[in-house]
């Protein structure tokens, strides 16, 4: 029961709606970085993403140093991008839009 | 090494600087409630307060239901309010001021 | 689309499988307390319950003081206990069984 | 007020007491990985490390994918390893020792 990989057309349409994300050079992942006022704010954001991820049963690859968080979204079972990545990227954007100090 | 309890004068001066907090009827604790858009936002706030509390080694009594958090601050070793409660209340206010949806 | 309230028989059968929970005096909620080594451990437990709750879209009423967490489960839309409370209670028990210092 | 960098002798003594950490190839950072049962357990561990880090005002560089967490400790103000890294590494080890499923 593999998860379907997005077609190139679907991927490009999704990217057009996600201007704060970029495609990884290999075309197989979405990338976004966010910067916060401090570690506390960054980790509170990570907690909200953790809740989104667990609810969606789709988890990010992410890296944090102090007030910066770098997120990679990809779907291993699809061998690249799937609708799950697009949905999670949109939900993360909604959190960041509501947040006082994204960058 | 008990922690000194605030004098009534110091307590009243602190309350004047913390308009979003009220004194518990017995005069021994500070109370504040906050309301958020949803559970995710409420729990992210709680995570930030947890970081503040652990850093200060002074922890709240608190209650959460969905998007609402009720916080009680008191210092058991002082038998009432101490400077630690006033400092933590101020730090919680700073988090809420930066937050998009406190109420 | 109210959520169905458990019959008394279903409620009693559930309680028999949840020996660490007790029924609130009014029969409308499940109660459990847990005690941890310190605040850090208690809050890590709360984070795991937050993930469970958000995934199930069913949230606890809970109270924390330092290393103690008291949880109340009820379903407002059912006017009492529903299958959601029983499922969340079971999931919380699984977290506590895996945890090194529950009490 | 730069933070003093560990001498090579102090660094080697610290590593001898931290058998689960290894030195990065450049000698300037400590590295450890941990693996958990699932994302929930991994994120609860990260929450405990976040509390330690904020308390110590010394934060990790870390990477998480699902149940795996990779931690890098270094002190930018020291241009390499300092006593802060050794202290935080020891505190992280204590969390992992108490944890049911580290690997």
């Amino acid at each position: 029961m593999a998860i379907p990989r997005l077609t190139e057309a679907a991927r490009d349409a999704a990217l057009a709606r996600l201007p704060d994300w970029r495609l990884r050079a290999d075309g197989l992942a979405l990338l976004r970085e966010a910067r916060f006022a401090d570690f506390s704010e960054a980790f509170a954001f990570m907690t909200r993403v953790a809740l989104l991820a667990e609810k969606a049963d789709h988890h990010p690859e992410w890296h944090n140093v102090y007030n910066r968080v770098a997120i990679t979204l990809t779907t291993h079972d699809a061998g690249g991008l799937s609708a799950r990545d697009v949905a999670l990227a949109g939900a993360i954007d909604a959190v960041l839009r509501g947040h006082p100090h994204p960058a």
Side-chain angles (χ1 to χ4, degrees), chain A residues 32-39 41-43 45-46 62-71 103:
Chain A
R32 175 162 191 183
E33 297 183 16
R35 188 181 290 259
F36 300 89
D38 54 24
F39 176 76
E41 227 177 68
F43 196 73
F45 163 71
M46 292 175 72
W62 50 0
H63 185 266
N64 162 246
V65 185
Y66 194 57
N67 66 331
R68 285 174 285 140
V69 182
I71 303 174

Side-chain angles (χ1 to χ4, degrees), chain A residues 11-51:
Chain A
R11 188 187 75 187
D12 292 348
L15 278 163
R17 293 190 310 271
L18 297 168
D20 295 313
W21 295 79
R22 60 195 170 79
L23 200 60
R24 200 169 61 190
D26 61 11
L28 302 179
L30 292 172
L31 309 177
R32 175 162 191 183
E33 297 183 16
R35 188 181 290 259
F36 300 89
D38 54 24
F39 176 76
S40 168
E41 227 177 68
F43 196 73
F45 163 71
M46 292 175 72
T47 298
R48 296 195 65 188
V49 174
L51 293 170

Side-chain angles (χ1 to χ4, degrees), chain A residues 62-96:
Chain A
W62 50 0
H63 185 266
N64 162 246
V65 185
Y66 194 57
N67 66 331
R68 285 174 285 140
V69 182
I71 303 174
T72 300
L73 301 179
T74 188
T75 303
H76 291 287
D77 291 349
L81 289 172
S82 77
R84 293 186 180 195
D85 301 304
V86 175
L88 187 54
I92 290 170
D93 283 355
V95 168
L96 286 168

